[in-house]
Amino acid sequence: MSEITLGRYLFERLRQLECNTIFGLPGDFNLRLLDEIYEVAGMRWAGNANELNAAYAADGYARLKKIACLITTFGVGELSALNGVAGSYAEHVGVLHVVGVPSLSAQAKQLLLHHTLGNGDFSVFHRMSQNISETTSMITDMATACQEIDRCIRTTYVSQRPVYLGLPANLVDQMVDAKRLDTPIDLSLEANDENAEEEVLAQILTLVKEAKNPIILSDACCSRHDVKQEAWDLIDVTQFPAFVTPMGKGSIPEKHPRFGGVYVGTLSSPEVKAAVESADLILSIGALLSDFNTGSFSYSYKTKNIVEFHSDHMKIRNAIFPKVAMKFVLQKLLKQIPQYVKDYKPLPVPKAPAVNAKCDPKTPLAQEWLWTQVGEFLQEGDVVITETGTSAFGINQTHFPNNTYGISQVLWGSIGFTVGACLGAVMAAEEINKAKRVILFIGDGSLQLTVQEISTMIKWGLKPYLFVLNNDGYTIEKLIHGPTADYNEIQNWEHLKLLPTFGATDFEAIRVATTGEWNKLAEDPEFNKNDRIRLIEVMLEVMDAPSSLVKQAQLTAAINAQP
């Protein structure tokens, strides 16, 4: 074909990047655009239950595939999605937010259309999104429409941040030159300034040469900005002890002999805390230093020799080098560093957490036991999603198999995020490797915010493991404030009836309450096959929580109480 519609052009470009699933909801300003999805072979429309869930799903999908597309309608639809888009912005996740907007003629006449504020201002919602987008575009000129689409897709992919793209309803059918598709979008990073990069490398290598006790600390943007392989190679080449933060969990192999554990400031295990804080050089890869990621900012490094690797700059001690991207620095560092570490004598790393001691199988389940035991259930290649609350903190004491991908919205912390994210992650995992398991851990309170997206999972025949931690309410909130307050309580649900309620016919719904019941289930070969959707209700005491969460809640309560 010599010409295709502008709408189809958008989806052909996304398909070229293997962004094969589109999330969102129909609305009258995007309906004609949605028709074009079905014109592109291999593309599918997820069809979510609401826009917020769709934004969460796009986030989960993009964490595995580097880009996702969310489509909403003007006003009511796009505003419903913004909480999820803001989370993607905060946590460096590449989501292209496409909004179907009224026709250019309707905007020019300032018609009093539905979904508007009734004041003739058609740009107000676009302006709202500007502060949570890396860039935005409102297509108004067909002469530059394809160029703008390409720019928005490139920015989404390269920056790993959301981008807003407005498509007027009357332009979707306009024809464009199909030959543009023959030239792929340039996804390469902008080259570093050579002089600045050389200075950065020289300073890092000097610090490495002088260090006696260096460590590597991997954080969220190690995964988000695609430097996991470089980080793994750096561990192999240097043999430095390697640690992760909560947001960095899964970014480096935890079965590696040089892996030392999870560092969360004062909330770390004593061995990990001592190992990290006694270092005389810290190579910090992709840091996002939020409160829950740092134990309420309780890092206590004994050294000022800290090198921070970021996607768009480097920081060495107190010096910042803008527009020096970590990927290129790491690649060159790997070539140069061997001669600087040839005399390094590897220091021991903290031992892996001890496995649970045998206990009476009738012992009621408790969080401390559970999160250690989860590591025995996980397999290499799993995607593990943990909800804000006990799950996000408990997973820090779980020892991951290698190549396990962790998803936990530690910075933005939107309760209920993980149900939608699980949908997106399962759809992405299915496209990558049908054997890949996706495992969700979510509390009974968080589940109630976004439960309807389980219906979408069932619609597509997806097969996640949904572990619902039933501790009768918002335990994380109760630990911070109001342990008996009515506002921290929820209506109890019959969780085992949720799957059939949403129309599942091939499913498994199980309740476990004791250590023996958990072990029997986790060791069952049939249960370990991801051949159907499963919901497992895990019964726990109301105020039972991982010890790190109890301490974090105390720190948060103290900060909240400061005048």
Side-chain angles (χ1 to χ4, degrees):
M1 295 178 291
S2 60
E3 288 188 320
I4 58 174
T5 64
L6 182 65
R8 180 168 178 179
Y9 181 88
L10 168 66
F11 298 123
E12 292 284 1
R13 278 304 201 194
L14 290 169
R15 182 78 173 97
Q16 287 178 346
L17 300 186
E18 298 184 1
C19 180
N20 303 328
T21 301
I22 308 298
F23 301 94
L25 273 84
D28 53 347
F29 296 125
N30 69 23
L31 293 175
R32 182 62 193 91
L33 175 63
L34 300 187
D35 286 339
E36 297 300 303
I37 296 174
Y38 302 97
E39 298 299 317
V40 180
M43 189 72 79
R44 62 178 169 177
W45 167 247
N48 297 93
N50 63 52
E51 287 88 357
L52 176 60
N53 288 352
Y56 290 156
D59 185 299
Y61 184 93
R63 291 188 192 226
L64 269 65
K65 302 204 74 175
K66 291 207 67 179
I67 187 170
C69 180
L70 163 70
I71 296 182
T72 61
T73 196
F74 177 74
V76 292
E78 59 184 306
L79 294 190
S80 292
L82 286 197
N83 175 40
V85 174
S88 297
Y89 185 86
E91 302 221 346
H92 291 246
V93 181
V95 174
L96 179 66
H97 183 191
V98 179
V99 180
V101 303
S103 69
L104 293 178
S105 61
Q107 294 185 49
K109 295 174 184 177
Q110 294 187 323
L111 298 179
L112 201 64
L113 295 182
H114 60 287
H115 299 341
T116 71
L117 298 178
N119 59 3
D121 186 352
F122 286 86
S123 65
V124 59
F125 308 125
H126 179 192
R127 298 198 305 272
M128 288 181 183
S129 284
Q130 287 177 339
N131 289 325
I132 54 171
S133 302
E134 184 69 15
T135 189
T136 69
S137 180
M138 183 65 69
I139 303 295
T140 58
D141 184 357
M142 285 303 299
T144 58
C146 293
Q147 179 181 329
E148 277 297 279
I149 287 173
D150 289 357
R151 182 182 71 87
C152 288
I153 291 175
R154 170 186 157 76
T155 303
T156 305
Y157 192 94
V158 172
S159 72
Q160 285 299 290
R161 286 280 177 81
V163 168
Y164 180 101
L165 175 61
L167 275 179
N170 65 307
L171 297 187
V172 172
D173 287 327
Q174 297 296 305
M175 304 304 289
V176 298
D177 185 359
K179 291 182 180 179
R180 285 188 63 98
L181 294 172
D182 295 338
T183 303
I185 297 174
D186 179 9
L187 300 177
S188 60
L189 299 176
E190 184 179 345
N192 289 340
D193 177 84
E194 288 188 16
N195 292 331
E197 188 177 68
E198 287 178 7
E199 185 176 349
V200 164
L201 286 165
Q203 290 196 30
I204 295 173
L205 291 169
T206 298
L207 291 171
V208 167
K209 186 175 181 179
E210 296 172 352
K212 305 296 183 187
N213 186 16
I215 67 163
I216 295 167
L217 182 62
S218 180
D219 209 331
C221 286
C222 178
S223 295
R224 307 286 201 280
H225 291 279
D226 193 28
V227 294
K228 288 200 298 185
Q229 189 60 58
E230 287 83 356
W232 302 350
D233 291 343
L234 188 63
I235 299 167
D236 288 336
V237 168
T238 63
Q239 291 296 296
F240 294 167
F243 301 84
V244 296
T245 67
M247 291 183 73
K249 189 128 174 81
S251 61
I252 60 177
E254 298 192 9
K255 297 297 185 182
H256 195 288
R258 301 303 292 161
F259 177 73
V262 182
Y263 178 63
V264 207
T266 58
L267 305 185
S268 313
S269 71
E271 297 80 11
V272 169
K273 185 175 186 298
V276 172
E277 296 177 359
S278 64
D280 60 0
L281 172 62
I282 298 169
L283 303 179
S284 173
I285 302 176
L288 274 178
L289 303 178
S290 69
D291 52 353
F292 280 12
N293 203 37
T294 62
S296 287
F297 314 109
S298 60
Y299 280 15
S300 299
Y301 301 145
K302 300 298 187 290
T303 181
K304 294 182 179 178
N305 294 333
I306 302 169
V307 179
E308 293 185 12
F309 297 77
H310 295 282
S311 62
D312 57 0
H313 72 280
M314 294 286 300
K315 183 178 180 183
I316 302 176
R317 293 170 63 91
N318 291 321
I320 295 176
F321 298 83
K323 296 185 178 180
V324 179
M326 64 179 170
K327 192 170 186 72
F328 296 133
V329 172
L330 284 166
Q331 289 172 350
K332 292 184 179 178
L333 182 63
L334 286 166
K335 295 177 181 178
Q336 299 179 34
I337 203 170
Q339 61 180 315
Y340 290 85
V341 296
K342 59 186 179 182
D343 296 326
Y344 168 71
K345 294 180 173 53
L347 297 175
V349 299
K351 295 180 180 178
V355 297
N356 286 317
K358 288 187 177 181
C359 61
D360 188 325
K362 296 181 181 179
T363 304
L365 283 171
Q367 299 261 359
E368 286 292 317
W369 184 93
L370 174 66
W371 294 112
T372 298
Q373 204 68 15
V374 164
E376 301 297 311
F377 166 64
L378 298 180
Q379 301 174 5
E380 185 165 341
D382 283 348
V383 178
V384 181
I385 307 171
T386 48
E387 175 64 50
T388 295
T390 58
S391 303
F393 284 85
I395 201 66
N396 292 332
Q397 66 192 62
T398 301
H399 201 51
F400 278 3
N402 289 345
N403 298 314
T404 301
Y405 196 99
I407 296 176
S408 187
Q409 202 188 49
V410 176
L411 172 54
W412 187 241
S414 185
I415 294 179
F417 158 78
T418 58
V419 182
C422 181
L423 168 70
V426 178
M427 298 186 98
E430 181 183 75
E431 293 169 10
I432 296 167
N433 179 357
K434 288 187 178 293
K436 186 180 285 290
R437 305 191 309 176
V438 177
I439 300 163
L440 168 66
F441 293 96
I442 185 169
D444 54 338
S446 299
L447 178 68
Q448 295 198 5
L449 277 75
T450 50
V451 67
Q452 60 270 62
E453 216 56 44
I454 294 176
S455 172
T456 313
M457 300 177 195
I458 294 168
K459 176 178 71 174
W460 283 101
L462 304 176
K463 305 173 180 67
Y465 292 78
L466 309 174
F467 288 91
V468 179
L469 309 185
N470 187 343
N471 49 13
D472 197 17
Y474 297 119
T475 294
I476 185 172
E477 312 289 16
K478 293 176 181 179
L479 290 167
I480 295 172
H481 182 79
T484 60
D486 186 62
Y487 50 71
N488 283 331
E489 303 300 336
I490 62 171
Q491 170 65 24
N492 289 322
W493 285 3
E494 294 189 37
H495 295 108
L496 300 188
K497 294 183 179 180
L498 285 176
L499 296 182
T501 296
F502 287 125
T505 55
D506 185 13
F507 66 91
E508 191 170 9
I510 310 162
R511 178 181 290 119
V512 293
T514 66
T515 58
E517 291 171 348
W518 172 275
N519 284 334
K520 181 180 179 181
L521 188 66
E523 295 167 5
D524 183 353
E526 292 302 313
F527 180 77
N528 280 274
K529 297 177 184 176
N530 61 334
D531 56 358
R532 67 193 66 186
I533 189 170
R534 291 177 168 89
L535 188 148
I536 306 93
E537 185 177 31
V538 183
M539 308 303 294
L540 298 159
E541 290 296 321
V542 176
M543 297 302 288
D544 179 40
S547 56
S548 59
L549 174 55
V550 175
K551 294 174 185 176
Q552 177 65 65
Q554 293 168 349
L555 292 171
T556 301
I559 291 172
N560 291 346
Q562 288 177 357

